[in-house]
Amino acid sequence: MSVGTPEPSYFTRAGEVYTPTPWSLSLWAKRTLSGPPVCGLLAREVEHRYCADGFVPARFTVDLHQPVPAAPLTVDSELIRDGNRVRSAQAVLRADGRVVARAQALLHIRSTQPPGAVWRADRRPPLPPAEVLAAAGPTVHLFDSDADDTGWSIEMTRHQNDSRKRKWVRNIPVVAGEPGTPFGYAAMAGEQTSLVTNWGTEGIGFINTDVSINFARLPLGLEMGIEAESHLSFDGIAAGTAVLYDAEGSFAVCTVSALANERRQISGAAIDEYIPKRGTAQWAAQRS
């Protein structure tokens, strides 16, 4: 694992090998990666290889079927179908030659809107106030919920309740030395559907095994919100939906499947403690 990169990023790159930095490490288990860096690396592969000739992401699905080790990784991909308006691709993430995550991407060509009116939800998710964003560091996420009057804050514990949750996501580049992209950042934000849909009065007790993001458009910038739409669960299996949004409104719908992980339940207090340590050598030592 690479320690002490000059600028925050999830991986360093040497040829075709991506080495995780401390920023990528998971709270769920030691020596593993969190979901957003995994999704970001797979999205990077799709974007670099297949988002050309007018094709843009319409659906991006990642199967997180096992913990991804904090070890050097490689990515490869293939084009499944290349049509006039629809392109399909698959990307695979490997550790020591072993498959640890997969992604499927469906890409579309933009065109004109058809005639007629269609029902749309008229509610717009709330944005964090400018002064709250300015007061928080550029890599610090913000939390909010419906059931409290404290508004957006960097403390997750202030919103540990049973109401609708939302998060303002401020990701960092996937690979050191490469600028972030709206698609890559949306892929990493969408993975946090599990956080906003499975976060209750005792913290987060479900861990997601996949994420699927359906795009109507890409975000306008690199910061964005994610807001819970629904949580369903029974016998330790959960399904959740959320929307991704920016200053112009919602632009994507996200879904996750999740399994109960009560032995490793993560409280808001644990995340509040983690935030100032994130990306430091101290954090790397604790998670290795």
Side-chain angles (χ1 to χ4, degrees):
M1 181 175 58
S2 177
V3 177
T5 53
E7 296 293 333
S9 63
Y10 288 125
F11 299 94
T12 57
R13 181 186 179 191
E16 299 305 313
V17 177
Y18 301 88
T19 300
T21 73
W23 289 90
S24 66
L25 297 177
S26 174
L27 263 172
W28 286 104
K30 291 185 176 182
R31 298 180 293 280
T32 63
L33 303 187
S34 63
V38 173
C39 292
L41 193 56
L42 288 164
R44 176 191 178 277
E45 173 74 7
V46 169
E47 186 166 27
H48 277 224
R49 292 191 181 275
Y50 307 111
C51 289
D53 308 317
F55 281 94
V56 295
R59 176 177 55 78
F60 181 68
T61 300
V62 179
D63 291 325
L64 300 163
H65 48 75
Q66 66 182 85
V68 176
L73 303 170
T74 58
V75 191
D76 57 78
S77 60
E78 63 177 324
L79 189 64
I80 305 300
R81 181 185 185 275
D82 197 9
N84 293 329
R85 300 183 64 191
V86 179
R87 178 177 286 175
S88 177
Q90 175 177 279
V92 176
L93 191 65
R94 288 183 167 89
D96 196 24
R98 178 171 54 92
V99 175
V100 291
R102 298 178 185 272
Q104 295 82 39
L106 197 65
L107 312 174
H108 289 175
I109 291 283
R110 291 192 182 100
S111 63
T112 58
Q113 287 282 91
V118 178
W119 178 89
R120 296 171 183 251
D122 58 5
R123 179 183 177 278
R124 282 198 174 191
L127 299 169
E131 62 272 18
V132 176
L133 285 169
T139 62
V140 175
H141 305 292
L142 297 171
F143 303 97
D144 190 29
S145 62
D146 282 355
D148 99 17
D149 57 4
T150 61
W152 292 91
S153 69
I154 63 172
E155 296 89 7
M156 189 171 173
T157 46
R158 291 170 67 176
H159 305 281
Q160 193 151 297
N161 52 55
D162 62 355
S163 74
R164 182 203 300 260
K165 308 295 196 303
R166 63 190 63 86
K167 182 180 182 183
W168 191 255
V169 182
R170 309 172 98 182
N171 265 310
I172 59 177
V174 178
V175 176
E178 295 183 5
T181 67
F183 174 48
Y185 278 27
M188 294 189 286
E191 195 278 337
Q192 295 169 70
T193 298
S194 185
L195 185 150
V196 296
T197 62
N198 295 318
W199 167 17
T201 59
E202 300 298 322
I204 305 167
F206 290 89
I207 187 166
N208 60 312
T209 55
D210 77 343
V211 60
S212 189
I213 310 168
N214 289 82
F215 292 90
R217 62 171 173 84
L218 290 175
L220 300 179
L222 300 181
E223 293 187 15
M224 62 204 72
I226 183 164
E227 181 180 73
E229 281 286 316
S230 67
H231 165 93
L232 305 173
S233 59
F234 190 76
D235 286 347
I237 298 175
T241 63
V243 295
L244 280 171
Y245 66 98
D246 56 22
E248 293 299 313
S250 301
F251 62 84
V253 177
C254 312
T255 63
V256 292
S257 302
L259 290 170
N261 203 18
E262 69 279 3
R263 289 180 298 175
R264 290 178 177 168
Q265 182 114 356
I266 294 178
S267 68
I271 292 181
D272 288 350
E273 182 182 358
Y274 148 76
I275 288 171
K277 297 178 182 177
R278 182 176 179 238
T280 65
Q282 177 191 12
W283 175 243
Q286 287 179 355
R287 308 310 295 169
S288 58

